[in-house]
Amino acid sequence: MSLSLLTFLRIYIAGLRSGKLIGGMYPEAVICITLMAAIAVASLLVLLFGLLKKPIAAIVFSVLATVAFYALRWDSDDRGVLPSSQYRYGIAEYLYPIAFIVVIAGAIWFMVSRHIAKTVQQQLASSANNAPASSGVAAAEHVAPSETE
């Protein structure tokens, strides 16, 4: 059976609320809840900064979400919770590495394209400023009216 991170979060929260955690699992529950909250918050911030076109911030929070996910996975492996004969990893095991690569590639692509656009814009502006006044096109000169007119 595959359990989602949300299901594990609900189990840990229910255990904390009931006060009936087996064998002093209170610290483990708090650590897991904290790591899951860090994953959720960092993932939402990646989405927000992606929408706001802030690639560096998206990369930073993508790294934080991925690190928190792998810390949670290591904790589950170390305690023998996952994988077991009853439970296995869900889609998050595949989703976070793929999402991390997509965010990094997208942020790099965005920064490069923004740099190229800025360079082209600067080149166009400098060529427009350096264009000679007599480029074969007659320029109309403003002539002040004479006093006799």
Side-chain angles (χ1 to χ4, degrees), residues 56-108:
I56 301 297
I59 289 172
V60 168
F61 284 104
S62 180
V63 168
L64 290 175
T66 304
V67 167
F69 172 75
Y70 279 107
L72 181 66
R73 183 174 181 219
W74 173 84
D75 179 59
S76 296
D77 285 343
D78 189 51
R79 290 186 292 124
V81 176
L82 291 173
S84 70
S85 61
Q86 296 175 340
Y87 304 110
R88 60 190 163 115
Y89 293 114
I91 194 163
E93 179 183 20
Y94 307 106
L95 183 65
Y96 273 94
I98 292 169
F100 177 74
I101 291 168
V102 167
V103 168
I104 299 298
I108 291 171

Side-chain angles (χ1 to χ4, degrees), residues 21-22 31 35 38 43 60 65 87 95-96 99 103-104 116 136 139 144 149:
L21 291 173
I22 301 169
I31 289 170
L35 286 172
S43 297
V60 168
Y87 304 110
L95 183 65
Y96 273 94
V103 168
I104 299 298
I116 290 170
E149 293 179 3

Side-chain angles (χ1 to χ4, degrees), residues 45-59:
L45 288 173
V46 168
L47 181 63
L48 174 68
F49 287 122
L51 292 173
L52 293 175
K53 298 180 181 177
K54 303 290 184 190
I56 301 297
I59 289 172

